[in-house]
Amino acid sequence: MPFADLGLSDELLRAVAEAGYTEPTPIQAAAIPPVLMMRDIIGIAQTGTGKTASFVLPMIDILAHGRSRARMPRSLILEPTRELAAQVAENFEKYGANSKLSMALLIGGVSMGDQIKALEKGVDVLIATPGRLMDLFGRGNILLTGCSMLVIDEADRMLDMGFIPDIEEICTKLPKQRQTLLFSATMPPPIKKLADKFLDNPKQIEVARPASTNTNITQWLVPVKASAFEKRDRLRQLLAQPEVTSAVIFCNRKTTVRELNKSLKRHGFRSGEIHGDMEQPQRLAELDLFRKGDVNILVASDVAARGLDIKGVSHVFNFDAPWHPDDYVHRIGRTGRAGATGTAYTFVAPDDAENVENIEKLTGQKIARLEALPEAPAPEARPRRERRERAPVDAAPREEARAQSEDRRPRQEEPRARQDDQRPRREERRPRHESRYDDRRPRRDERDEGPDVGWNGPVPDFLQVALVIQP
């Protein structure tokens, strides 16, 4: 079935053709017609099957007629992560190139001032993460009373990240008469309860069993010991295979992401990292390097596991077995996208037996174990240096060298002896009780004024009176 049979406008079909797509995926073919008919939708499909376009394309046609008002968006798309929200925004720019729709992206980690300015101008499509949306709503910078269309994407991821209470509060701020679309790869009970509460007679579309994995992905369990050293060694063996052209490696902890990336770089691999502690510009820069091929290995936490559409990923490595079985479905979904094939390896330590059991129970399939790993290329043996045989030393030259050293020794001590001669001997030194200032200029009362012969000052006049005796 071509896109032209789905009821899309000619401008939109031209944009889709320019993007290089000719036929819709199963989720797109099943979801686009009822969305155009203004029906509420619950879409359940595997990751990497084109869920984003299944709501972006009909939204562009629905919102083509109308006018936006300041601080009152006409539609709202909720995404769990910044990266996924930015990716949806890229899809709107690509498919909406022939339309005049305005769009705003509300995510954390970037300046809030530019986002407020965009809202003041009025937007047709608002793409946001729940945290930043609630922040701006609390400041009075946004009104949701004019929103006629709501999309909740990656609903199960919203549940894992604790956004369900925020979503419920956001839904209470929206008009009751609206169209709501909910998409998820799995359908746990809390998501089913959310759909029953806020969707009106929705049409449920399942192109695959919930929580099923892509059949184009070959899955392996790699038994390892609990030590991080052995896990890194096994990982390097698998990465050294020639068929590994690009890979995403998932870890459960952000500290593990940083340590593993440093280890891979030390061993000569072109790797990058992405995790929740990085600023938004850094995360986007790392993803851009990976997309361009400047790095072919991306070490990531689960922040990158949901919805990221990176083409050409040949392998996915679960360095740590995921704690939640739903995360396994989304992690390995980074490969085998858009009909391509891929391979997923999951390292399993003895403590991960319960996690693997939950994963196999959720997906409904037994994952094969990779017992024999491909042998890593043996490092080239460095040639050992040959020890040079020392020629025997005769006794005569040795004695001659010793005599020469003895002759040089007194010459080295001679200057010291000369200095010792210039110094006063211990017995010639002044006693301790004598001060070194004793030879200074004598004090006034210590000067030698000559013999004491009486008064030597000016003679008063009365003493000059002489007694004259006349005869």
Side-chain angles (χ1 to χ4, degrees):
M1 176 188 296
F3 276 102
D5 296 341
L6 300 180
L8 299 173
S9 64
D10 294 338
E11 293 81 4
L12 194 55
L13 291 174
R14 187 165 64 253
V16 172
E18 291 174 355
Y21 299 103
T22 56
E23 293 186 1
T25 62
I27 183 63
Q28 294 169 359
I32 289 177
V35 173
L36 291 173
M37 296 172 62
M38 306 304 293
R39 288 282 307 273
D40 286 4
I41 296 294
I42 297 177
I44 301 175
Q46 303 162 349
T47 182
T49 55
K51 292 196 301 291
T52 303
S54 64
F55 63 81
V56 168
L57 294 177
M59 282 183 69
I60 294 175
D61 270 351
I62 292 173
L63 298 172
H65 306 286
R67 179 184 175 186
S68 61
R69 290 181 289 178
R71 295 189 299 173
M72 296 181 65
R74 299 172 58 200
S75 63
L76 174 64
I77 302 176
L78 293 177
E79 299 291 344
T81 63
R82 306 170 188 175
E83 288 77 19
L84 189 52
Q87 180 178 302
V88 174
E90 292 176 0
N91 277 266
F92 258 102
E93 292 177 353
K94 178 172 60 176
Y95 297 126
N98 300 323
S99 67
K100 297 181 180 180
L101 296 178
S102 57
M103 177 194 63
L105 181 63
L106 301 186
I107 57 176
V110 296
S111 173
M112 189 180 293
D114 296 337
Q115 298 173 357
I116 295 175
K117 291 179 181 179
L119 292 173
E120 291 290 343
K121 294 179 181 179
V123 294
D124 297 300
V125 181
L126 181 62
I127 307 170
T129 53
R132 179 53 64 93
L133 178 65
M134 293 299 296
D135 190 2
L136 290 177
F137 184 85
R139 295 168 182 259
N141 297 115
I142 185 172
L143 299 174
L144 298 177
T145 54
C147 184
S148 61
M149 195 171 190
L150 171 66
V151 178
I152 304 173
D153 194 19
E154 300 287 348
D156 49 354
R157 180 60 172 166
M158 297 277 197
L159 174 65
D160 296 340
M161 299 179 69
F163 286 145
I164 296 302
D166 292 338
I167 294 176
E168 292 178 346
E169 184 175 356
I170 291 171
C171 289
T172 59
K173 310 296 182 183
L174 297 170
K176 292 185 178 181
Q177 299 296 327
R178 66 174 186 273
Q179 184 181 11
T180 305
L181 313 178
L182 187 148
F183 291 89
S184 180
T186 61
M187 187 57 66
I191 301 301
K192 184 68 169 63
K193 182 179 179 181
L194 179 70
D196 294 340
K197 184 177 181 180
F198 293 107
L199 273 69
D200 182 20
N201 190 24
K203 180 178 181 179
Q204 184 162 331
I205 300 172
E206 294 185 16
V207 297
R209 193 181 65 83
S212 61
T213 55
N214 196 333
T215 56
N216 294 335
I217 303 174
T218 304
Q219 305 172 53
W220 295 99
L221 295 179
V222 183
V224 294
K225 296 181 180 179
S227 66
F229 176 80
E230 182 182 351
K231 291 176 70 175
R232 289 195 294 266
D233 184 56
R234 297 247 174 155
L235 176 64
R236 291 192 295 269
Q237 293 181 33
L238 293 173
L239 289 174
Q241 300 177 96
E243 57 267 22
V244 180
T245 57
S246 64
V248 180
I249 305 172
F250 288 105
C251 305
N252 288 343
R253 295 181 175 87
K254 290 173 278 190
T255 55
T256 309
V257 172
R258 289 190 288 264
E259 293 172 358
L260 182 57
N261 183 37
K262 292 179 182 178
S263 175
L264 291 174
K265 286 183 175 180
R266 283 197 301 266
H267 286 81
F269 291 95
R270 295 184 295 116
S271 63
E273 65 181 68
I274 177 174
H275 51 80
D277 285 348
M278 299 173 64
E279 296 293 335
Q280 184 65 14
Q282 293 178 304
R283 290 157 69 168
L284 295 177
E286 289 290 330
L287 289 174
D288 191 49
L289 291 175
F290 186 66
R291 286 191 175 100
K292 291 180 179 179
D294 295 337
V295 297
N296 65 334
I297 298 173
L298 184 65
V299 188
S301 61
D302 282 314
V303 70
R306 299 297 181 104
L308 284 183
D309 187 11
I310 303 175
K311 298 180 181 180
V313 177
S314 63
H315 288 70
V316 167
F317 295 89
N318 289 315
F319 188 77
D320 297 319
W323 291 320
H324 303 289
D326 291 345
D327 290 337
Y328 177 81
V329 178
H330 291 278
R331 284 184 178 186
I332 69 172
R334 298 313 99 206
T335 185
R337 301 178 71 85
T341 59
T343 305
Y345 293 100
T346 301
F347 290 1
V348 180
D351 297 339
D352 296 324
E354 184 178 355
N355 294 338
V356 173
E357 183 180 351
N358 294 333
I359 291 171
E360 293 177 339
K361 182 179 179 181
L362 178 69
T363 58
Q365 61 183 8
K366 192 75 174 177
I367 306 175
R369 291 180 176 267
L370 185 68
E371 300 295 344
L373 292 180
E375 295 184 0
E380 297 181 359
R382 297 181 179 178
R384 299 182 62 179
R385 294 182 178 179
E386 298 180 358
R387 298 185 62 181
R388 298 179 180 177
E389 296 183 1
R390 297 181 179 178
V393 182
D394 296 337
R398 186 179 300 175
E399 293 295 336
E400 183 179 354
R402 184 179 301 174
Q404 292 179 358
S405 62
E406 290 178 356
D407 293 341
R408 287 194 299 268
R409 192 173 302 167
R411 296 176 186 175
Q412 297 175 356
E413 295 179 355
E414 185 176 354
R416 183 178 299 177
R418 294 178 180 175
Q419 295 177 2
D420 293 342
D421 293 341
Q422 296 176 2
R423 294 178 182 177
R425 295 182 179 179
R426 184 177 300 272
E427 58 271 8
E428 296 177 358
R429 295 177 184 175
R430 62 178 59 149
R432 289 185 180 180
H433 64 274
E434 292 184 8
S435 174
R436 60 176 178 170
Y437 300 104
D438 291 344
D439 55 351
R440 67 184 179 181
R441 189 173 62 177
R443 296 179 183 177
R444 186 163 191 162
D445 55 354
E446 296 177 355
R447 295 177 182 175
D448 188 7
E449 301 291 347
D452 188 7
V453 293
W455 177 260
N456 58 356
V459 180
D461 292 340
F462 69 90
L463 293 178
Q464 294 179 2
V465 178
L467 179 63
V468 180
I469 302 175
Q470 296 180 358

